[in-house]
Amino acid sequence: ISSYKKALLSSAVFMGMLLGGLGCGYLSDIIGRRPCLLYSLGINTLAGLASAGAPNIEVLIACRMIAGLGIGGSVPIVFSTGAEIFPAHCRGQFLSIIASFWMIGAIYVAFSAWIMLGDDFYGQKIMHGVGWRSFAIVSALPAIVAWFLTYFNIPESPRFLADKQQFSESAAILNALSTVQIEAADLEFECT
């Protein structure tokens, strides 16, 4: 492929991340943190898997950009949800742990690429018959896992629900996350 298309392929995910971060940060204030995070992770997963079947470089670039929308969309939502849910005394520590997973993901991708596409120390291919399409599928696995973990374990932000006047739901989530029991009427009084 041309150097221009190589540059587009390399930057497509970052262009998508920019647009996804801007759009989903705003959208999560309208439809909720949890649904927007699930949509972002789903878009990332589907576009990552679709890139494995791309018939040409143009489709691959488009898939990578769409995957970037999902990646970029999940970042502000994860941090805002964490900031709204984590207790104040450990909020910074937990947000730092979330931030460290960016590097864990980078190590996962680099290690997977080396094992699946690279050579050993003697110049021999480590995994024969494995190409970039298989690597694209393996690269989508963390988004799939994150989608399931979010779906089954992450509640909607109590602050978002309280801002939308859904005080009973907000109190129920706060009570599930805390040892202090809160009544919906207390939240309504605090928000007015």
Side-chain angles (χ1 to χ4, degrees):
I1 62 174
S2 69
S3 59
Y4 174 73
K5 288 185 178 178
K6 284 182 188 176
L8 274 179
L9 181 59
S10 297
S11 62
V13 74
F14 297 111
M15 290 186 288
M17 286 174 66
L18 173 66
L19 297 174
L22 293 172
C24 289
Y26 174 75
L27 189 61
S28 72
D29 288 337
I30 297 171
I31 68 169
R33 312 280 187 256
R34 185 175 185 273
C36 204
L37 180 57
L38 288 169
Y39 292 142
S40 294
L41 291 168
I43 288 169
N44 182 13
T45 298
L46 294 176
L49 294 173
S51 66
N56 56 46
I57 189 66
E58 291 80 14
V59 173
L60 180 60
I61 290 169
C63 287
R64 297 311 304 149
M65 185 166 178
I66 294 168
L69 287 170
I71 296 167
S74 64
V75 172
I77 300 165
V78 167
F79 282 101
S80 60
T81 301
E84 293 170 1
I85 290 178
F86 298 144
H89 72 277
C90 60
R91 185 173 298 139
Q93 177 185 0
F94 287 163
L95 289 174
S96 296
I97 291 169
I98 289 173
S100 71
F101 272 86
W102 182 267
M103 285 296 96
I104 292 170
I107 292 167
Y108 168 79
V109 169
F111 185 74
S112 299
W114 177 55
I115 294 297
M116 297 181 77
L117 306 173
D119 297 334
D120 64 17
F121 298 113
Y122 303 105
Q124 303 296 317
K125 191 138 174 71
I126 296 173
M127 293 185 75
H128 297 282
V130 175
W132 67 270
R133 293 179 190 277
S134 300
F135 172 68
I137 293 169
V138 168
S139 295
L141 293 178
I144 295 169
V145 171
W147 189 92
F148 279 101
L149 289 173
T150 299
Y151 185 81
F152 290 108
N153 296 302
I154 304 295
E156 180 56 84
S157 161
R159 181 182 175 108
F160 171 81
L161 293 171
D163 285 346
K164 298 296 182 185
Q165 310 287 314
Q166 297 176 0
F167 300 112
S168 297
E169 294 90 344
S170 180
I173 291 170
L174 286 170
N175 290 335
L177 296 173
S178 174
T179 58
V180 177
Q181 295 301 301
I182 297 169
E183 298 294 326
D186 296 334
L187 286 174
E188 190 171 352
F189 175 75
E190 291 289 326
C191 292
T192 56

